Structures are given as structure tokens and as C-alpha cells.
Amino acid sequence: MSKVIDGKAVAAAVLEECRSEVAEMRSNGITPGLAVVLVGSDPASQVYVGSKARTCEDLGIYSRKIELPEETTQEELIKVVEELNADSAIHGILVQSPPPKHIDEEAVIRTIDPRKDVDGFHPENVAKLALEDSSGFVPCTPAGCMRLLKEADVETKGANAVVIGRSMIVGKPMALLLMAKGSDATVTVAHSRSRDLPGICRQADIVIAAVGRPEMVTADWVKDGAVVIDVGINRVDDATKKRGYRLTGDVAYEEVAAKCAAITPVPGGVGPMTIAMLMKNTLKAAKQLSS
Amino acid sequence: MSKVIDGKAVAAAVLEECRSEVAEMRSNGITPGLAVVLVGSDPASQVYVGSKARTCEDLGIYSRKIELPEETTQEELIKVVEELNADSAIHGILVQSPPPKHIDEEAVIRTIDPRKDVDGFHPENVAKLALEDSSGFVPCTPAGCMRLLKEADVETKGANAVVIGRSMIVGKPMALLLMAKGSDATVTVAHSRSRDLPGICRQADIVIAAVGRPEMVTADWVKDGAVVIDVGINRVDDATKKRGYRLTGDVAYEEVAAKCAAITPVPGGVGPMTIAMLMKNTLKAAKQLSS
């Protein structure tokens, strides 16, 4: 039987750590603050932003939600970010992705003070990750995956890790974290253009699936006893569901779970970790800015 | 028979490209300028610095060699860098590595104007490499390796590339270049803590050895028909040589050459490319700063 890595439980534990830290910081006169900027009215983004704000409030983190109309210009958005950069009540700034098409997302990210860049997308934090400088912010999803591996007692040292996907949000930072000193995995980054993806994946002790294709990783891709972290969250039509779809990861869960040593479910695996690591990053920012 | 990838010849061709570009730039009133700062009197560093200056002069690039005494303080060195940042005759700045032990090399690199950072070590250029932003500077050695692969008509798309070594000078940037869109290799970064390094290496269509261990990669590590790029330059005691040592790469050249499709020799492989790519980067800096 395979061991399910319970992301909900680990995320809850991380949030309890955060709650204690917030209490201690507040007793020292520092209230950590997170600003989330949402441009437009994408329903999924509204759900995410609402969930981040509620989590903050639950932990005692000051939360500011800034909702801007769809037609906000790039200059207006950058002005909002600059005001947040200068606002001492705000330690973390996040611009919800994706912004409307007329906004240059990378340009906006570059205007965030890197010390408040709790998403870890600013070039300065990207560089710190590559340079193994721990003062930077690690993007929340790969940071969450690393925490899950740790909590599941997975040995990364000398392990063969295969990361499927090469995005700057997950694949590349994940690879950099796994190959860094201390983690010491042998890391392969595979992607849609890789030859014999199943064969590459079969050699992995640790599989990180972050490619966004529902149930692509099937049992014949995974070696007995591997650990599988499923970052994908895909909607698949399902007439038996009231809402008409179900959520599924990049891994064919049932068949892979039957042969691997440990696996994250979807939902309830990596998903809950992302927001928990965002809270961690916000506290780190508040501590660094206050010290 | 294996095909020797002649780094000297490719580097000479790159330098001829540079010579034409310099001539054109000068006819437009722009003389590219490179400043090389050397602290202390390490004999190897003096040789490198001299060679860089001579190559500049040969191509028509303005070269400034700044030699500072061993006891130069960090602040004095940073002041020199800042003056070069402000100097419009200088487009590229390079602080020869390694500086004396009392100097914080990373702090010095961070003070170089990223637009003049022709070594590609400034965090802003590290981030651009990870983010696949081609306006940045790629470190010269991995850039040279990519050029050698191109000149040898090696298909990287879908190929399995194994990079041995995870330094920020060679291993990591090499991996990022090989996995980037356009190159599209499946990249494995292996290192001294990897399990079964020979087995990992045997799966590679392309091997990049950048680990600094003389002749570590032997014939049984390399699959028939692989392409082998040897970044190592190691001194090995050799009583039959007048100087008492010989130079060797990380690859056991003779036995590997007998079975691979293509290989770079040491010396005469990657080595000459590094300085050629430095010249390329200097011209790129001059163009970007003048436009």
C-alpha cells in the first residue's frame, strides 16, 4: 500500500507554526501585512485572492485586498505597487496572476520591492535561488513541494529526481531547490519536447509532475517505490459531477498510488501548501524588514 | 573514428566575427572598451588578464588593465568598479577571479553595472538566464560550450544532456541554456554526490563534464555515439614534461574519443572559446549601451 502525503495536514501544521510566529511578532509590536492586488474580475482569481485574505486574517496577519478594474493601465498598476513598496504596514506584495492582457506582468513584478516579493518571482529572488542565497523568497509552490518531501521523510541526497515541466513558477525553481547543496539530488528536467518521457520518469526515485496535462503520468511511467509529487490541477469534464467536471492532477492517481512509496493526492496535496508557504514568506519578509 | 571539435578553430572564427563587428562599430564612432581589474599578483591570473588584453587589442577593442596591489581593500576595489561603471569609454567590466581572500567577491560583482557585466555573474544576469531573457549576459564558458555544440551540428532538441557539476560558473548556467526553449534538451545535473554517476552519464547523448577531476569520465561512462564537451582543465604531475605536469580535462580523452561521436580536446577545446565569448559579450554590451 502506498503512503498518501496529506498536503492538507502538512499545510495546517505550517499554518499553526505561522500562527505562533505571528503572535510572537505582534507581542513585539510588529504586525505582518500582506497586500494582494487583483486587476479585473476573473472568478478563479477572486476565489484565490479571497482565500489568501481569509488565511491572513485567521492567523492575525494584516491583509489588504486591492481590487482594480479590468481597464486599469500598466502605469496605474505600477503606481499602486510603488505605494505598497513605500507602505510600512505592508511586508508582502502579490499581484494576482494572470493580469488582463494589456498588462506586462513581468514589468509589474520588477517594480515590486524584492524584499516584499513574497511570490518569489522578482529577478532578484530568482537569482538568489540560483545562487543558493537563502535570504531570498522561494516561489510558494516549489517551496511547498520541498516541505512535503521533508515531512514525508524523503531522502533527496543522491536521489534521482525528475521534474516534468520547465516553467519559472514550478519546474525550474523546483530543479534548483533539489540540486542545491543540502538537498543534493541528481535532477533531470524533462518537458513536452523530451524524448521517451516515460523511460526518463521510470528512473526517478522522486517524480515532480508540473506539466498541466491531466493524468499524463501513468503507472508504467513510475518505478516501484518512487515518491510522486503531483503539482497539476486540471479540470476534466465529468457528467457524473454536479458542476460538470472533476479536478485531477498530472498523475493517474489510483494506478500510480498502487505501486509508488508515497504520493500527493489532487486535491489535498500540493494545493494547500502553496498558500501556507505564502504565509511563511510573508512572515519572513516582515522579520527581515523589521530587523 | 571520433570527430574532434576544434575549439581553437571555432574560437578563431568567433574572433573574426568580432573583428568585423568592431570595425563596423568603430566606423560608426563607437570603440568597444573592456576593463579588466586584477587584485594581487597571482601568476595564473596575470596570464589570463594579459591574454584578454592582447585579444582586445588585436581586435581593435579598447582595453584597460587595472592592476591593484594585494592589500587593496574591498572599499577601494568597489570604488574602482564604480568609476568604471561611470566611464563611458568602458562597456565591459571584469574583476579577475579569484580575488585575495579578504575580498567578498560576490559583493564586488553586485556593484558592477549589470549592463557592463560581461562575465554574466551579476544576479541580474543570472536571473535573465533563468528567465530566458536574451538581453542579459551568459557566462563565457557555458556560452562557449553552446557555440561548440552548434558549430559541430549537434542536435540538442529532445537530446538527453548530462551536466556533471553544479557551479554557477558552468554547471547551472549550462543546464539552463540546454533546457531553454529553442535548445529543448532534457537536462540532468549530476555532481559529486550523485549515485551511480557512470550509469547516469551512460544515458547521455551529450555529456558536459565540468567537475574539475582529471580524467574522471572514462570510456565505460560514455555511450557509443555520444558528444562529449570537456570543460575541465586540470594539472597532472608528469615527469616526462619539462614543466613537470601536463594539462588534462575531466575526460579520459583517448579512450572516450575512440567511442564517442564528437569530443573537445584539452587544451584546444572549451578553453579558447571562453575568451572568444568574452569578446562577444563586450561587443554586445557596447551595442546595448550605445543604442
Side-chain angles (χ1 to χ4, degrees):
Chain A
M1 272 302 290
S2 116
K3 187 180 150 199
V4 178
I5 303 175
D6 185 344
K8 262 192 194 167
V10 176
V14 171
L15 292 176
E16 286 317 305
E17 287 171 22
C18 289
R19 190 188 306 281
S20 312
E21 285 181 57
V22 172
E24 201 190 317
M25 293 174 80
R26 290 180 69 140
S27 75
N28 291 320
I30 299 155
T31 301
L34 175 67
V36 180
V37 183
L38 174 62
V39 186
S41 53
D42 177 62
S45 290
Q46 284 180 320
V47 171
Y48 295 140
V49 166
S51 160
K52 288 165 187 173
R54 273 194 311 281
T55 306
C56 281
E57 285 151 23
D58 178 52
L59 299 178
I61 297 173
Y62 168 61
S63 157
R64 193 184 300 167
K65 200 161 76 179
I66 297 165
E67 298 183 276
L68 301 172
E70 181 81 21
E71 61 272 19
T72 304
T73 66
Q74 168 108 352
E75 293 68 41
E76 287 165 342
L77 177 55
I78 284 177
K79 194 158 170 281
V80 168
V81 168
E82 285 169 347
E83 283 165 7
L84 294 169
N85 284 343
D87 188 333
S88 63
I90 298 297
H91 305 97
I93 303 169
L94 183 157
V95 179
Q96 184 63 43
S97 186
K101 288 207 178 71
H102 65 278
I103 302 283
D104 176 352
E105 187 171 14
E106 283 185 30
V108 174
I109 288 169
R110 278 195 301 271
T111 62
I112 297 175
D113 183 334
R115 297 169 304 169
K116 297 189 176 186
D117 168 42
V118 285
D119 258 346
F121 296 154
H122 188 286
E124 202 166 306
N125 287 311
V126 172
K128 283 185 173 179
L129 181 58
L131 297 166
E132 302 184 19
D133 175 342
S134 62
S135 72
F137 295 100
V138 176
C140 301
T141 299
C145 294
M146 290 303 288
R147 180 73 185 243
L148 288 176
L149 289 173
K150 193 182 158 210
E151 295 292 331
D153 283 323
V154 177
E155 177 62 272
T156 55
K157 214 173 284 279
N160 289 328
V162 171
V163 178
I164 313 175
R166 55 179 164 171
S167 77
M168 260 330 288
I169 315 287
V170 184
K172 280 186 193 172
M174 195 70 222
L176 290 167
L177 288 166
L178 284 164
M179 80 177 65
K181 291 210 177 67
S183 297
D184 296 318
T186 302
V187 184
T188 299
V189 179
H191 45 78
S192 57
R193 294 186 180 270
S194 290
R195 228 166 38 210
D196 188 21
L197 206 41
I200 291 166
C201 203
R202 264 194 299 276
Q203 294 168 6
D205 304 308
I206 300 168
V207 176
I208 314 282
V211 72
R213 293 202 197 164
E215 301 176 1
M216 185 177 71
V217 179
T218 47
D220 58 311
W221 288 38
V222 177
K223 117 175 140 180
D224 283 324
V227 173
V228 179
I229 306 288
D230 188 352
V231 183
I233 302 181
N234 311 289
R235 284 187 183 195
V236 173
D237 290 340
D238 187 340
T240 71
K241 302 283 178 188
K242 202 176 161 190
R243 54 186 180 184
Y245 66 88
R246 62 190 166 86
L247 289 181
T248 182
D250 292 348
V251 178
Y253 183 80
E254 297 296 340
E255 58 180 85
V256 171
K259 72 186 298 194
C260 69
I263 187 168
T264 60
V266 175
V270 174
M273 293 303 293
T274 299
I275 198 163
M277 301 318 281
L278 174 65
M279 298 299 124
K280 272 275 184 207
N281 276 351
T282 302
L283 301 194
K284 180 177 179 175
K287 276 180 233 166
Q288 289 183 347
L289 286 163
S290 309
S291 70
Chain B
M1 272 303 288
S2 115
K3 186 180 151 200
V4 178
I5 302 176
D6 185 343
K8 262 193 194 167
V10 176
V14 171
L15 292 176
E16 286 315 305
E17 287 171 22
C18 289
R19 190 187 305 280
S20 311
E21 285 181 55
V22 171
E24 201 190 317
M25 294 174 78
R26 291 181 69 140
S27 75
N28 291 320
I30 300 156
T31 301
L34 175 67
V36 180
V37 183
L38 174 62
V39 186
S41 53
D42 176 64
S45 290
Q46 285 180 321
V47 171
Y48 295 139
V49 166
S51 161
K52 288 165 188 174
R54 273 194 310 280
T55 307
C56 281
E57 285 150 23
D58 177 52
L59 299 179
I61 296 173
Y62 168 61
S63 157
R64 193 184 301 167
K65 200 160 76 179
I66 298 164
E67 297 184 277
L68 302 172
E70 182 80 21
E71 61 273 20
T72 304
T73 66
Q74 168 108 352
E75 293 68 42
E76 288 166 341
L77 177 55
I78 285 177
K79 195 157 169 283
V80 168
V81 169
E82 286 169 346
E83 284 166 7
L84 294 168
N85 284 343
D87 189 332
S88 64
I90 299 297
H91 305 97
I93 302 169
L94 182 157
V95 179
Q96 184 64 41
S97 186
K101 287 206 178 72
H102 64 277
I103 302 282
D104 176 352
E105 188 171 14
E106 283 186 29
V108 174
I109 288 169
R110 278 195 300 272
T111 62
I112 297 175
D113 183 334
R115 298 170 303 170
K116 297 188 176 186
D117 168 43
V118 286
D119 257 347
F121 296 155
H122 188 286
E124 201 165 307
N125 287 312
V126 172
K128 283 185 173 179
L129 181 56
L131 297 167
E132 302 184 19
D133 175 342
S134 63
S135 72
F137 295 100
V138 175
C140 301
T141 299
C145 294
M146 291 302 290
R147 180 75 186 241
L148 287 176
L149 289 173
K150 193 182 157 207
E151 296 293 330
D153 282 322
V154 177
E155 177 63 270
T156 55
K157 213 172 285 279
N160 290 328
V162 171
V163 178
I164 312 176
R166 54 179 165 172
S167 76
M168 260 329 290
I169 315 288
V170 184
K172 282 187 192 172
M174 196 69 222
L176 290 168
L177 288 166
L178 284 164
M179 79 177 68
K181 291 208 176 70
S183 297
D184 296 319
T186 302
V187 184
T188 298
V189 178
H191 45 77
S192 57
R193 293 186 180 271
S194 290
R195 229 166 38 210
D196 188 21
L197 208 41
I200 292 166
C201 204
R202 264 194 299 276
Q203 294 168 6
D205 304 307
I206 300 168
V207 176
I208 313 282
V211 72
R213 293 201 199 164
E215 300 177 1
M216 184 177 71
V217 178
T218 46
D220 59 313
W221 288 38
V222 177
K223 119 176 139 180
D224 283 324
V227 173
V228 179
I229 305 288
D230 189 353
V231 182
I233 302 180
N234 311 289
R235 284 188 182 194
V236 174
D237 290 341
D238 187 339
T240 70
K241 303 282 176 189
K242 201 175 161 191
R243 54 187 179 183
Y245 67 88
R246 62 190 167 86
L247 288 181
T248 181
D250 292 348
V251 178
Y253 183 80
E254 296 296 340
E255 58 181 84
V256 171
K259 71 186 298 196
C260 68
I263 186 167
T264 60
V266 176
V270 174
M273 291 304 293
T274 298
I275 199 162
M277 300 318 281
L278 175 65
M279 298 299 124
K280 271 274 183 207
N281 276 351
T282 303
L283 301 193
K284 181 177 179 174
K287 277 179 232 166
Q288 290 183 347
L289 286 164
S290 310
S291 69

